[in-house]
Amino acid sequence: MASATRVSGATTGQFDQVTAVSQTMINDQLQTLMDNVTDLKIFDVEPTTWDKSTLTMEEALLKPCSVVIPVEQNDFSTVEFYINFESGTMKYDVKADTRRKVPAVHEEYPLAGWVVCFNVKMGLANVDPEELPRIKEQINVAGDYSIQRLFFDFTTADIANFLESKSKFFTSTGQIAYKDLPKSLQPAFSLVLNKWVEVLQDQIIDICYHGTAPDKSSIVNPIAPSFPPEDVLFQTYPFKHPSGAAISEADKSRNALLYLETCIKPVPTDTLLKWTGNFITNGDDGKANVNGSMFISRKLFFERFLLPLLKEFNLRTQITPTSAENWIDGLMFKFRWGFMSGWDPAHTSVSDSYYNWTPDLANRKFTWSKIKADAKDDAGSTGFMRSRLNIKGDTTNELSWEAGGHELTLKIKSHYRQETWNEQIGITNDTHVDVKIGFTMLLVFQSISKGVLQINTYYPLANGQNKYNTKFSDGVWTTGDTSASSIWDKKPADKQQDIKSRWIASMGGDAWFTQRMKNVLSEHRFVFPGNGTFSFGDPMFNNNGDLIVSLAYDGLTKPPLTSNTGAAPNVPTATKPEEIRDGASIRKS
């Protein structure tokens, strides 16, 4: 059984895809951005004058900027942005005014340790047309859609009214409150900050996400159905201890920015996702340390993507009784019967709703179960001799998952039963052949390559060990409950084998099921949104059946790939994308 890492009570609510980026993850990306764009490290502002005061920022260098995601307020689109000074000197000069008897002033303030905090809103905008082809190639989703970016909108920044209580200032003798700086310095300092933010206003910093929005929602690439969203929202989201314990300063780094997508109409009436659990886990209760995650809803992954593909196997594995005849020839009871496997004359198309899977969420599975109408013949009667023949056939298939598991278990089970009853001179005799046939296949979510989910197929070994077998072979089948009398032309074991062989043949032989499943999963790929912005890893399910993957920004540490104990030796692993975004991009608007 797979470990339940990252599995919490968090759900997607009314949304189909939820991307959660923690405060830690955003700050790591800001550091990568400033490491790559060296101009952002230089606080390059010309000397600024206010009245008689002049401020000069000399050799002012910045540490990586950072954000704090506040969750105590009702503004779910605002973050706190921190300018962190590394070194340099701020020179404050006031010209002498003999008429006013104001002496000349020259003071110098070491900028190391200075921190200025202000609010900035998140913005959502379409990618410019000239940049669209490059990003489309990274995202790896065909179709007709625009691409949206989520970014820090510095045009909303009111830096003149920065948050003094969360900012820090120093003199050569130690920390000082902003209100204790010279009064004539403060307006000039506000102007300096505004000039630097104007530089940022000329940039679009893609620190969070690239998402798609369809221009024509009917056009979705059937080969790579990532289901472009009909609507996109975003919000801040708090980290909470399930026990109700108080939140520490370290815990606040797990607050997240959520990117909410609706891919199936109607658009949710609720514009915010209510708290149901943590999307970000940092080692609590044995859970993995994950700073970013993406949740694909059960409705989207199973009901929209995977289950329609697996309806074909319901059609091909069913057993249908077709005829039953019995008669009396002299003093002999005669029987004739027929059954059909892999076909139903009343439901010939795989698109028929007859083959739809039914959710059994309490037991974490989907089922398809059909009991065919019996084929009966009670007509055999000649005075002191009577006979009956009844043929039953049913098929029950199920697809199940485990919370924290990296695989789906597909069980195919068909039950074929022939029953006879006869009476001669008051003496009765009951006979039957009862055959249960079926097998189990594992769909293992091995890795994610270039945003594409890699699903491999295996069969569990007969001994029940947690190992995989790549062949449709011993240990796959289950049979049993066989008995009969001498009235049958064949021995029970032979008849059982005959039915089993015909059932396999109806699917095209042993190899058909394996190869067909591989073809289906390769022809219809699931592509995660955000490829080119994120790398993905460790796909697994939660109790609700949502598919969860861990995230990292491309250019930073990649999330761990799935590690399945006892996996087959030649299981493919993810490959590094040919083109990645090395950290966030920055461009002139």
Side-chain angles (χ1 to χ4, degrees), residues 30 66 109 143 145 153 180 212 264 369 377 394 544 547 551 561:
L30 276 171
S66 58
Y109 296 88
Y145 54 83
D153 185 1
D180 294 331
T212 62
I264 306 173
S369 181
D377 184 5
D394 64 80
N544 192 52
L547 177 59
L551 300 178
L561 296 175

Side-chain angles (χ1 to χ4, degrees), residues 458-470:
Y458 301 101
Y459 300 95
L461 294 180
N463 58 14
Q465 295 180 359
N466 185 22
K467 295 181 179 179
Y468 299 134
N469 184 12
T470 58

Side-chain angles (χ1 to χ4, degrees), residues 238 329 476:
D329 185 3
V476 172

Side-chain angles (χ1 to χ4, degrees), residues 265-423:
K265 291 183 177 180
V267 174
T269 55
D270 293 339
T271 58
L272 291 174
L273 184 64
K274 298 178 181 178
W275 194 92
T276 56
N278 294 314
F279 288 96
I280 305 300
T281 57
N282 283 41
D284 288 347
D285 302 323
K287 294 182 176 65
N289 188 340
V290 174
N291 287 317
S293 62
M294 183 178 291
F295 280 50
I296 307 296
S297 72
R298 180 191 70 245
K299 183 176 181 182
L300 182 64
F301 182 77
F302 279 105
E303 299 178 22
R304 182 87 176 265
F305 169 68
L306 185 60
L307 294 181
L309 301 179
L310 300 185
K311 289 173 62 176
E312 175 182 359
F313 299 97
N314 292 335
L315 184 154
R316 295 297 292 268
T317 58
Q318 64 182 324
I319 283 184
T320 307
T322 56
S323 64
E325 299 177 73
N326 79 95
W327 66 96
I328 298 169
D329 185 3
L331 297 178
M332 295 292 294
F333 296 105
K334 297 285 188 175
F335 303 93
R336 186 162 51 212
W337 62 90
F339 72 90
M340 184 179 294
S341 55
W343 181 256
D344 186 336
H347 305 281
T348 59
S349 173
V350 71
S351 62
D352 195 324
S353 61
Y354 179 82
Y355 298 109
N356 287 356
W357 295 80
T358 301
D360 180 4
L361 303 183
N363 295 302
R364 295 190 298 276
K365 64 183 179 181
F366 292 88
T367 63
W368 182 77
S369 181
K370 299 299 178 182
I371 300 176
K372 298 297 183 181
D374 299 345
K376 299 180 180 180
D377 184 5
D378 300 330
S381 177
T382 59
F384 63 90
M385 296 177 67
R386 292 184 299 164
S387 65
R388 290 194 300 266
L389 173 63
N390 189 8
I391 300 177
K392 298 180 179 180
D394 64 80
T395 301
T396 301
N397 300 336
E398 67 177 46
L399 183 71
S400 61
W401 72 89
E402 291 186 11
H406 304 272
E407 63 193 34
L408 298 173
T409 300
L410 176 64
K411 292 183 178 180
I412 303 293
K413 296 180 289 184
S414 287
H415 185 189
Y416 178 78
R417 183 179 178 90
Q418 295 178 189
E419 301 173 338
T420 67
W421 174 90
N422 62 74
E423 179 183 17

Side-chain angles (χ1 to χ4, degrees), residues 459-519:
Y459 300 95
L461 294 180
N463 58 14
Q465 295 180 359
N466 185 22
K467 295 181 179 179
Y468 299 134
N469 184 12
T470 58
K471 295 182 179 180
F472 195 88
S473 61
D474 293 340
V476 172
W477 295 95
T478 60
T479 59
D481 297 334
T482 303
S483 63
S485 71
S486 59
I487 68 166
W488 296 102
D489 295 332
K490 295 182 178 181
K491 295 179 180 179
D494 293 338
K495 181 165 288 297
Q496 182 188 68
Q497 183 60 41
D498 177 53
I499 295 171
K500 171 183 170 181
S501 298
R502 291 174 63 180
W503 191 77
I504 298 175
S506 72
M507 296 191 302
D510 289 8
W512 179 87
F513 202 98
T514 304
Q515 190 57 50
R516 183 59 188 149
M517 182 65 76
K518 289 181 178 179
N519 291 345

